Amino acid sequence: MLCRSRRLRLPTACRRLATRTCARRLSSGAAARHGMQAAEAAAGGEPSAGVMQRHGIPIAMWTAVSLNVAAFFSQGDEGVQILFHLEEFEAPLLSPDTPQERLTERLERVARGAPLNDSLKLALAQSAGLSGRLIDIALGAEPNASQTARNHAAKVVEYICASPPAALLLLERGEHARLVRAVADPDAALYLRKTFAAALCSMAALPEAVPLLAAEGAVGALHAAQASSQAVRRKKVEVALGRLAAAIAARPPAELAR
């Protein structure tokens, strides 16, 4: 009976042993898989969600930045565009037959493009007859020019004078004298006097311009403009006047008389 009882209990013990062995193997397999996943993660083989989180977001941010930069540069610099196609602007500005709307449009674009582009300012000053033509339009000598076109022309002259090399070209041609006369004219438009006064202030910063401006009476013209109206008075002109007067006082009289 004892032997039989042991034989009956043996299959049960075997089953229990097999169950424990299987459990241990399953546990070992899970641990192995967990270890492999950890090693894979350490080696860079992340699950797909981790890859998107680590790489997808920076890529999306870089794409957005790149698109914004591309959009910014695609807008273009109007000054550069005018410089590349300067002949398309010179001809309408120089011709007395340009329709009023076309003349205004060309001047408006140049006035937008010139302020921050010194190469364009110099190119405008170097263009034969263009600076004189701009002064003509600003002074009202062109009957086909609207008041808006005149204001744009005056502003372009101011921008040209803000570039030292371009301002020197106007000085060499004696065009500063016309600016001085316009600023001194009490009957000239306030906008014209204010804009040309700013142009003279830029010229006055050049040592070469001091005797030329002094000979034309620039100091008196600027003083008259400052005193004529609050609308014309500008701090920039006041500062330039002080510098110009000091520069003139430091020059020998013989040099100023030349």
Side-chain angles (χ1 to χ4, degrees):
M1 290 296 293
L2 180 61
C3 292
R4 185 178 179 185
S5 176
R6 287 177 178 171
R7 285 198 296 269
L8 289 173
R9 286 198 293 270
L10 184 60
T12 301
C14 289
R15 283 197 300 272
R16 288 174 180 169
L17 179 61
T19 301
R20 292 192 194 100
T21 303
C22 183
R24 282 196 299 269
R25 288 178 178 174
L26 289 173
S27 177
S28 299
R33 285 194 300 273
H34 180 73
M36 289 177 64
Q37 288 177 354
E40 199 176 329
E46 302 168 345
S48 59
V51 172
M52 289 302 296
Q53 184 175 6
R54 177 168 293 187
H55 301 293
I57 294 175
I59 290 172
M61 292 175 64
W62 175 251
T63 301
V65 171
S66 299
L67 288 174
N68 286 332
V69 171
F72 174 78
F73 282 108
S74 67
Q75 293 174 1
D77 179 352
E78 183 133 32
V80 173
Q81 297 299 320
I82 295 171
L83 195 58
F84 285 160
H85 307 283
L86 189 58
E87 68 283 352
E88 297 179 10
F89 291 82
E90 288 175 323
L93 295 181
L94 290 170
S95 174
D97 300 323
T98 303
Q100 187 178 92
E101 296 79 8
R102 175 72 168 168
L103 180 62
T104 302
E105 183 268 338
R106 296 283 91 175
L107 284 168
E108 181 181 4
R109 287 195 59 186
V110 174
R112 285 202 310 262
L116 301 178
N117 194 311
D118 285 342
S119 297
L120 178 57
K121 296 171 189 174
L122 183 57
L124 294 170
Q126 290 173 334
S127 179
L130 186 56
S131 59
R133 173 70 172 162
L134 289 170
I135 295 173
D136 286 341
I137 295 172
L139 293 174
E142 172 53 63
N144 198 33
S146 64
Q147 186 59 55
T148 300
R150 294 173 190 170
N151 291 344
H152 286 321
K155 204 65 180 173
V156 173
V157 172
E158 178 187 348
Y159 293 146
I160 291 173
C161 292
S163 167
L168 285 174
L169 292 177
L170 270 66
L171 285 163
E172 290 173 3
R173 293 195 286 261
E175 290 171 344
H176 61 286
R178 302 179 68 192
L179 305 185
V180 172
R181 288 195 294 271
V183 172
D185 185 1
D187 297 326
L190 292 180
Y191 184 85
L192 177 69
R193 298 182 75 187
K194 180 173 67 174
T195 307
F196 278 4
L200 291 175
C201 290
S202 297
M203 285 182 168
L206 303 173
E208 302 91 336
V210 171
L212 297 174
L213 293 175
E216 296 295 335
V219 173
L222 290 171
H223 268 302
Q226 287 283 89
S228 65
S229 170
Q230 185 67 34
V232 179
R233 191 172 301 133
R234 298 173 74 178
K235 185 67 176 178
K236 176 181 179 179
V237 177
E238 182 180 338
V239 172
L241 264 172
R243 291 176 179 171
L244 182 59
I248 291 173
R251 294 292 182 107
E255 183 180 341
L256 296 175
R258 282 195 302 237

